[in-house]
Amino acid sequence: MTQRTILITGASGEIGHGLISRLSGTPGVRLIAMDLRDVPESIQGKVESAHQGDICDRAFVEHVMSLHRVNEVMHLAALLSTSAERAPEQAHEVNVQGTFNLMRTAAEQAQAYGDPIRFVFPSTIAIYGVEPREKDTIPPVREFQALRPITMYGANKLYCEALGRYYGRYYRSLTRGDRRPPLDFRCLRLPGIISAETVPVGGTSDYVPEMIHAAARGEPCTCFVRAETSLPWMMMPECVDAILQLAEAPVLSRCVYNVASFSATAGTFADAVRRHFPGAEIRFEPNEGRQSLVDTWPADVDCVRAREDWGFTTRWTLDEAMTEYIVPAVRARYGSTTPPEGAAS
Ligand code: SER
Protein backbone atom coordinates (compact mmCIF):
# COMPACT_ATOMS: atom_id res chain seq x y z
CA MET A 1 0.00 0.00 0.00
CA THR A 2 1.34 3.47 -0.87
CA GLN A 3 1.89 5.65 2.15
CA ARG A 4 -0.34 8.75 2.00
CA THR A 5 1.14 11.85 3.59
CA ILE A 6 -1.72 14.33 3.53
CA LEU A 7 -1.31 18.03 4.22
CA ILE A 8 -4.60 19.51 5.47
CA THR A 9 -4.75 23.31 5.37
CA GLY A 10 -7.41 25.10 7.39
CA ALA A 11 -7.13 22.17 9.79
CA SER A 12 -8.79 24.04 12.66
CA GLY A 13 -11.85 24.90 10.59
CA GLU A 14 -15.12 23.01 10.37
CA ILE A 15 -14.27 20.64 7.53
CA GLY A 16 -10.74 20.22 8.89
CA HIS A 17 -12.18 18.93 12.17
CA GLY A 18 -14.45 16.48 10.37
CA LEU A 19 -11.82 15.25 7.96
CA ILE A 20 -9.05 14.82 10.54
CA SER A 21 -11.36 12.99 12.95
CA ARG A 22 -12.30 10.58 10.18
CA LEU A 23 -8.81 10.01 8.76
CA SER A 24 -6.91 9.84 12.01
CA GLY A 25 -5.68 6.33 12.75
CA THR A 26 -6.21 5.10 9.17
CA PRO A 27 -3.39 2.66 8.34
CA GLY A 28 -0.93 4.07 5.81
CA VAL A 29 -2.08 7.67 6.34
CA ARG A 30 0.09 10.39 7.91
CA LEU A 31 -1.72 13.64 8.60
CA ILE A 32 0.04 17.01 8.60
CA ALA A 33 -2.14 19.88 9.84
CA MET A 34 -1.69 23.53 8.91
CA ASP A 35 -3.68 26.53 10.10
CA LEU A 36 -3.32 30.25 10.61
CA ARG A 37 -4.70 29.82 14.11
CA ASP A 38 -3.42 27.61 16.86
CA VAL A 39 -4.29 24.01 16.01
CA PRO A 40 -6.40 22.87 19.01
CA GLU A 41 -5.09 20.04 21.16
CA SER A 42 -8.03 17.85 20.17
CA ILE A 43 -6.68 17.97 16.61
CA GLN A 44 -2.99 17.88 17.50
CA GLY A 45 -3.56 14.52 19.13
CA LYS A 46 -4.91 13.14 15.86
CA VAL A 47 -2.17 14.26 13.48
CA GLU A 48 1.51 13.50 13.13
CA SER A 49 2.49 17.14 13.01
CA ALA A 50 0.72 20.51 13.25
CA HIS A 51 2.06 23.80 11.90
CA GLN A 52 0.75 27.27 12.66
CA GLY A 53 1.36 29.75 9.85
CA ASP A 54 0.03 31.62 6.86
CA ILE A 55 -0.52 29.98 3.46
CA CYS A 56 0.28 33.39 1.96
CA ASP A 57 3.85 32.94 3.25
CA ARG A 58 5.50 30.90 0.53
CA ALA A 59 8.60 30.08 2.58
CA PHE A 60 6.36 28.59 5.30
CA VAL A 61 4.41 26.51 2.79
CA GLU A 62 7.62 25.24 1.18
CA HIS A 63 9.13 24.42 4.53
CA VAL A 64 6.15 22.35 5.69
CA MET A 65 5.71 20.51 2.40
CA SER A 66 9.34 19.57 2.01
CA LEU A 67 9.76 18.67 5.68
CA HIS A 68 7.15 15.94 5.39
CA ARG A 69 7.41 14.99 1.73
CA VAL A 70 3.68 15.48 1.27
CA ASN A 71 2.06 13.51 -1.57
CA GLU A 72 -1.52 14.71 -1.09
CA VAL A 73 -2.96 18.12 -0.23
CA MET A 74 -6.47 18.80 1.02
CA HIS A 75 -6.65 22.56 0.82
CA LEU A 76 -9.48 23.73 3.05
CA ALA A 77 -8.18 27.12 4.21
CA ALA A 78 -10.29 30.01 2.89
CA LEU A 79 -12.17 33.14 3.85
CA LEU A 80 -15.84 32.28 3.30
CA SER A 81 -18.28 34.45 1.39
CA THR A 82 -19.52 36.90 4.05
CA SER A 83 -16.02 37.44 5.48
CA ALA A 84 -14.65 37.82 1.96
CA GLU A 85 -17.28 40.44 1.09
CA ARG A 86 -16.24 42.44 4.16
CA ALA A 87 -12.52 42.26 3.29
CA PRO A 88 -12.31 41.50 -0.42
CA GLU A 89 -8.62 42.33 -0.92
CA GLN A 90 -7.60 40.16 2.01
CA ALA A 91 -9.87 37.41 0.69
CA HIS A 92 -8.11 37.55 -2.64
CA GLU A 93 -4.74 37.23 -0.89
CA VAL A 94 -5.82 34.18 1.10
CA ASN A 95 -8.14 32.49 -1.37
CA VAL A 96 -6.12 33.07 -4.53
CA GLN A 97 -2.51 33.86 -3.58
CA GLY A 98 -2.54 31.30 -0.76
CA THR A 99 -3.95 28.64 -3.09
CA PHE A 100 -1.43 29.54 -5.77
CA ASN A 101 1.42 29.18 -3.23
CA LEU A 102 0.23 25.71 -2.36
CA MET A 103 -0.30 24.58 -5.96
CA ARG A 104 3.00 26.01 -7.11
CA THR A 105 4.95 24.45 -4.25
CA ALA A 106 3.16 21.12 -4.70
CA ALA A 107 3.91 21.23 -8.43
CA GLU A 108 7.61 21.93 -7.81
CA GLN A 109 7.87 19.10 -5.33
CA ALA A 110 6.00 16.74 -7.63
CA GLN A 111 8.51 17.52 -10.36
CA ALA A 112 11.46 17.07 -8.00
CA TYR A 113 10.18 13.67 -6.83
CA GLY A 114 8.89 12.60 -10.24
CA ASP A 115 5.40 11.84 -8.94
CA PRO A 116 2.24 13.94 -9.25
CA ILE A 117 0.78 15.25 -6.01
CA ARG A 118 -2.94 14.80 -5.49
CA PHE A 119 -4.58 18.14 -4.74
CA VAL A 120 -8.13 18.07 -3.39
CA PHE A 121 -9.91 21.41 -3.40
CA PRO A 122 -13.36 22.24 -2.05
CA SER A 123 -15.03 24.83 -4.22
CA THR A 124 -18.54 26.12 -3.69
CA ILE A 125 -22.02 26.89 -4.97
CA ALA A 126 -20.89 30.55 -4.73
CA ILE A 127 -19.10 30.13 -8.08
CA TYR A 128 -22.57 30.14 -9.65
CA GLY A 129 -24.53 33.29 -10.32
CA VAL A 130 -28.11 32.61 -11.35
CA GLU A 131 -30.72 35.25 -12.07
CA PRO A 132 -32.54 35.71 -8.75
CA ARG A 133 -35.94 35.67 -10.45
CA GLU A 134 -35.11 32.32 -12.08
CA LYS A 135 -33.48 30.71 -9.06
CA ASP A 136 -36.44 28.58 -8.05
CA THR A 137 -37.62 27.62 -11.52
CA ILE A 138 -34.48 26.57 -13.42
CA PRO A 139 -33.47 22.88 -13.38
CA PRO A 140 -30.63 21.79 -11.08
CA VAL A 141 -27.54 23.62 -12.31
CA ARG A 142 -24.85 21.63 -14.11
CA GLU A 143 -21.12 22.19 -13.67
CA PHE A 144 -20.65 24.27 -16.82
CA GLN A 145 -23.71 26.52 -16.38
CA ALA A 146 -24.21 29.96 -14.81
CA LEU A 147 -20.54 30.55 -13.95
CA ARG A 148 -21.08 34.21 -13.07
CA PRO A 149 -20.22 34.67 -9.38
CA ILE A 150 -21.11 38.02 -7.82
CA THR A 151 -18.93 37.61 -4.72
CA MET A 152 -15.18 37.87 -4.21
CA TYR A 153 -15.30 34.38 -2.65
CA GLY A 154 -17.07 32.90 -5.67
CA ALA A 155 -14.72 34.63 -8.10
CA ASN A 156 -11.69 33.44 -6.11
CA LYS A 157 -12.87 29.85 -6.05
CA LEU A 158 -13.81 29.79 -9.72
CA TYR A 159 -10.37 31.10 -10.68
CA CYS A 160 -8.66 28.54 -8.42
CA GLU A 161 -10.65 25.77 -10.09
CA ALA A 162 -9.17 26.97 -13.39
CA LEU A 163 -5.70 27.16 -11.84
CA GLY A 164 -6.04 23.60 -10.56
CA ARG A 165 -7.20 22.41 -13.97
CA TYR A 166 -4.14 24.09 -15.47
CA TYR A 167 -1.69 22.39 -13.08
CA GLY A 168 -3.56 19.11 -13.42
CA ARG A 169 -3.98 18.98 -17.18
CA TYR A 170 -2.13 21.65 -19.13
CA TYR A 171 0.92 22.75 -17.14
CA ARG A 172 3.70 24.00 -19.46
CA SER A 173 2.01 22.35 -22.39
CA LEU A 174 4.48 23.81 -24.87
CA THR A 175 7.59 22.46 -23.19
CA ARG A 176 6.55 19.61 -20.91
CA GLY A 177 7.04 16.88 -23.47
CA ASP A 178 5.97 13.42 -22.27
CA ARG A 179 6.08 14.26 -18.58
CA ARG A 180 2.83 14.08 -16.68
CA PRO A 181 1.32 17.31 -15.32
CA PRO A 182 2.48 17.83 -11.73
CA LEU A 183 -0.86 17.85 -9.90
CA ASP A 184 -3.70 15.35 -9.81
CA PHE A 185 -6.32 18.05 -9.20
CA ARG A 186 -9.76 17.10 -7.90
CA CYS A 187 -12.42 19.58 -6.93
CA LEU A 188 -15.91 19.41 -5.40
CA ARG A 189 -18.35 22.27 -5.40
CA LEU A 190 -19.83 22.09 -1.93
CA PRO A 191 -23.34 23.25 -1.03
CA GLY A 192 -24.20 24.67 2.41
CA ILE A 193 -22.62 22.36 5.00
CA ILE A 194 -24.21 21.59 8.36
CA SER A 195 -22.17 20.17 11.22
CA ALA A 196 -23.56 19.12 14.59
CA GLU A 197 -20.08 19.41 16.13
CA THR A 198 -18.98 22.89 15.04
CA VAL A 199 -20.52 26.24 14.15
CA PRO A 200 -19.35 27.94 10.94
CA VAL A 201 -17.86 31.43 10.82
CA GLY A 202 -18.05 33.95 8.01
CA GLY A 203 -20.22 32.02 5.54
CA THR A 204 -23.50 33.13 3.99
CA SER A 205 -25.07 29.69 4.36
CA ASP A 206 -24.47 29.88 8.13
CA TYR A 207 -28.15 30.64 8.86
CA VAL A 208 -29.16 26.97 9.04
CA PRO A 209 -26.34 25.75 11.33
CA GLU A 210 -26.90 28.87 13.44
CA MET A 211 -30.60 28.08 13.98
CA ILE A 212 -29.86 24.45 14.85
CA HIS A 213 -27.12 25.22 17.38
CA ALA A 214 -29.10 28.10 18.93
CA ALA A 215 -32.16 25.87 19.41
CA ALA A 216 -30.06 23.14 21.01
CA ARG A 217 -28.55 25.71 23.41
CA GLY A 218 -32.02 27.05 24.21
CA GLU A 219 -31.18 30.45 22.70
CA PRO A 220 -33.26 32.55 20.28
CA CYS A 221 -32.04 32.89 16.71
CA THR A 222 -32.55 35.50 14.02
CA CYS A 223 -32.35 34.04 10.53
CA PHE A 224 -30.76 36.53 8.13
CA VAL A 225 -32.53 35.30 4.98
CA ARG A 226 -36.20 34.97 4.04
CA ALA A 227 -38.01 31.75 4.99
CA GLU A 228 -38.57 30.81 1.33
CA THR A 229 -34.84 30.98 0.47
CA SER A 230 -33.74 27.69 -0.99
CA LEU A 231 -30.24 26.18 -1.24
CA PRO A 232 -28.67 22.75 -1.67
CA TRP A 233 -27.25 21.25 1.54
CA MET A 234 -25.29 18.38 2.96
CA MET A 235 -24.31 17.21 6.42
CA MET A 236 -20.68 17.27 7.53
CA PRO A 237 -20.28 13.46 7.61
CA GLU A 238 -21.54 13.37 4.01
CA CYS A 239 -19.16 16.17 3.07
CA VAL A 240 -16.25 14.21 4.55
CA ASP A 241 -17.45 11.06 2.75
CA ALA A 242 -17.52 12.98 -0.53
CA ILE A 243 -14.05 14.50 -0.09
CA LEU A 244 -12.60 11.07 0.68
CA GLN A 245 -14.51 9.31 -2.10
CA LEU A 246 -13.20 11.85 -4.59
CA ALA A 247 -9.66 11.76 -3.18
CA GLU A 248 -9.57 7.97 -3.36
CA ALA A 249 -11.23 7.52 -6.75
CA PRO A 250 -9.16 6.09 -9.61
CA VAL A 251 -8.44 8.23 -12.65
CA LEU A 252 -11.23 10.73 -13.33
CA SER A 253 -12.55 12.13 -16.57
CA ARG A 254 -13.02 15.65 -15.24
CA CYS A 255 -11.67 17.90 -12.48
CA VAL A 256 -14.77 19.53 -10.99
CA TYR A 257 -17.95 18.01 -9.55
CA ASN A 258 -21.14 19.29 -7.96
CA VAL A 259 -22.19 17.51 -4.78
CA ALA A 260 -25.24 17.97 -2.53
CA SER A 261 -27.69 15.82 -0.59
CA PHE A 262 -30.96 17.72 -0.85
CA SER A 263 -32.37 21.15 -1.41
CA ALA A 264 -34.42 22.93 1.27
CA THR A 265 -35.68 26.35 2.26
CA ALA A 266 -34.75 28.14 5.48
CA GLY A 267 -38.41 27.84 6.52
CA THR A 268 -38.39 24.06 6.06
CA PHE A 269 -35.33 23.85 8.30
CA ALA A 270 -36.94 26.14 10.88
CA ASP A 271 -40.02 23.87 10.98
CA ALA A 272 -37.84 20.79 11.40
CA VAL A 273 -35.87 22.46 14.19
CA ARG A 274 -39.11 23.49 15.96
CA ARG A 275 -40.41 19.91 15.75
CA HIS A 276 -37.34 18.61 17.57
CA PHE A 277 -36.88 21.59 19.90
CA PRO A 278 -40.44 22.76 20.60
CA GLY A 279 -39.28 25.86 22.51
CA ALA A 280 -37.06 27.06 19.65
CA GLU A 281 -37.42 30.78 18.94
CA ILE A 282 -36.57 31.44 15.29
CA ARG A 283 -37.36 34.82 13.76
CA PHE A 284 -36.81 35.78 10.15
CA GLU A 285 -35.18 39.19 9.71
CA PRO A 286 -33.61 39.19 6.26
CA ASN A 287 -30.37 41.09 5.88
CA GLU A 288 -30.64 42.65 2.44
CA GLY A 289 -26.96 42.27 1.64
CA ARG A 290 -26.54 38.64 2.61
CA GLN A 291 -29.92 37.79 1.08
CA SER A 292 -28.76 39.23 -2.24
CA LEU A 293 -25.76 36.89 -2.28
CA VAL A 294 -27.81 33.76 -1.55
CA ASP A 295 -30.37 34.84 -4.15
CA THR A 296 -27.74 34.24 -6.87
CA TRP A 297 -26.78 30.78 -5.63
CA PRO A 298 -28.75 27.95 -7.25
CA ALA A 299 -31.60 26.33 -5.34
CA ASP A 300 -30.30 22.97 -6.53
CA VAL A 301 -27.32 21.49 -8.35
CA ASP A 302 -27.04 18.49 -10.65
CA CYS A 303 -24.77 15.79 -9.14
CA VAL A 304 -25.09 13.15 -11.87
CA ARG A 305 -21.44 13.36 -12.88
CA ALA A 306 -20.16 12.79 -9.35
CA ARG A 307 -22.47 9.78 -9.02
CA GLU A 308 -21.40 8.32 -12.36
CA ASP A 309 -17.66 9.02 -12.19
CA TRP A 310 -16.74 8.22 -8.60
CA GLY A 311 -19.84 6.78 -6.99
CA PHE A 312 -20.89 9.85 -4.99
CA THR A 313 -23.57 8.82 -2.51
CA THR A 314 -25.46 10.65 0.20
CA ARG A 315 -26.75 9.31 3.48
CA TRP A 316 -29.77 11.34 4.48
CA THR A 317 -32.86 13.31 3.52
CA LEU A 318 -33.48 16.39 5.65
CA ASP A 319 -35.74 14.50 8.07
CA GLU A 320 -33.33 11.59 8.36
CA ALA A 321 -30.41 13.95 8.90
CA MET A 322 -32.27 15.65 11.76
CA THR A 323 -33.25 12.40 13.45
CA GLU A 324 -30.17 10.29 12.84
CA TYR A 325 -27.38 12.85 12.97
CA ILE A 326 -28.10 16.42 14.03
CA VAL A 327 -30.48 16.07 16.94
CA PRO A 328 -28.65 13.26 18.80
CA ALA A 329 -25.28 14.96 18.26
CA VAL A 330 -26.30 18.47 19.33
CA ARG A 331 -28.18 17.09 22.33
CA ALA A 332 -25.04 15.21 23.35
CA ARG A 333 -23.00 18.34 22.82
CA TYR A 334 -25.17 20.85 24.68
CA GLY A 335 -26.87 18.46 27.05
CA SER A 336 -30.30 19.69 25.95
CA THR A 337 -33.14 18.50 28.14
CA THR A 338 -35.87 19.02 25.55
CA PRO A 339 -37.58 15.65 25.00
CA PRO A 340 -36.91 14.11 21.59
CA GLU A 341 -39.75 14.29 19.06
CA GLY A 342 -42.38 11.67 19.76
CA ALA A 343 -41.05 10.93 23.25
CA ALA A 344 -43.70 10.05 25.86
CA SER A 345 -44.23 12.92 28.28
N1 SER B 1 -20.73 27.95 2.90
C1 SER B 1 -20.14 28.88 1.97
C2 SER B 1 -20.40 30.26 2.38
O1 SER B 1 -21.48 30.50 2.89
C3 SER B 1 -20.67 28.67 0.58
O2 SER B 1 -20.04 27.57 0.02
O3 SER B 1 -19.61 31.10 2.16
Side-chain angles (χ1 to χ4, degrees), residues 105-176:
T105 308
E108 284 166 5
Q109 299 212 352
Q111 288 171 302
Y113 298 135
D115 237 345
I117 289 182
R118 191 157 291 181
F119 198 103
V120 180
F121 182 65
S123 184
T124 165
I125 39 167
I127 56 96
Y128 293 115
V130 301
E131 280 296 331
R133 63 188 144 72
E134 291 172 1
K135 172 177 163 114
D136 292 312
T137 51
I138 54 175
V141 172
R142 297 176 63 181
E143 282 86 350
F144 58 86
Q145 295 175 319
L147 299 172
R148 292 183 303 271
I150 67 156
T151 59
M152 178 56 101
Y153 176 65
N156 294 164
K157 287 281 187 176
L158 187 57
Y159 170 67
C160 289
E161 289 184 5
L163 201 56
R165 188 180 294 107
Y166 173 73
Y167 274 108
R169 296 267 160 100
Y170 306 109
Y171 182 68
R172 288 186 184 272
S173 61
L174 302 183
T175 52
R176 200 181 71 242

Side-chain angles (χ1 to χ4, degrees), residues 123-293:
S123 184
T124 165
I125 39 167
I127 56 96
Y128 293 115
V130 301
E131 280 296 331
R133 63 188 144 72
E134 291 172 1
K135 172 177 163 114
D136 292 312
T137 51
I138 54 175
V141 172
R142 297 176 63 181
E143 282 86 350
F144 58 86
Q145 295 175 319
L147 299 172
R148 292 183 303 271
I150 67 156
T151 59
M152 178 56 101
Y153 176 65
N156 294 164
K157 287 281 187 176
L158 187 57
Y159 170 67
C160 289
E161 289 184 5
L163 201 56
R165 188 180 294 107
Y166 173 73
Y167 274 108
R169 296 267 160 100
Y170 306 109
Y171 182 68
R172 288 186 184 272
S173 61
L174 302 183
T175 52
R176 200 181 71 242
D178 296 339
R179 279 168 296 154
R180 284 177 295 174
L183 299 188
D184 175 358
F185 178 74
R186 298 163 178 225
C187 169
L188 335 80
R189 289 186 185 149
L190 298 177
I193 305 293
I194 302 164
S195 170
E197 282 79 35
T198 50
V199 186
V201 186
T204 315
S205 60
D206 295 1
Y207 54 91
V208 167
E210 280 174 7
M211 71 172 78
I212 291 169
H213 285 264
R217 288 195 298 256
E219 293 170 4
C221 171
T222 305
C223 177
F224 58 78
V225 298
R226 289 188 295 273
E228 59 274 21
T229 306
S230 196
L231 278 187
W233 298 95
M234 81 196 317
M235 302 296 137
M236 184 60 80
E238 300 175 298
C239 170
V240 171
D241 289 345
I243 292 175
L244 295 179
Q245 280 176 315
L246 179 65
E248 289 159 15
V251 180
L252 297 166
S253 62
R254 59 179 68 224
C255 299
V256 177
Y257 294 91
N258 283 338
V259 289
S261 293
F262 55 80
S263 180
T265 66
T268 306
F269 267 107
D271 291 344
V273 169
R274 288 187 191 109
R275 275 199 300 280
H276 290 277
F277 299 93
E281 277 178 60
I282 304 168
R283 279 184 310 133
F284 287 86
E285 257 180 45
N287 170 294
E288 226 174 276
R290 294 176 102 184
Q291 179 77 53
S292 71
L293 308 188

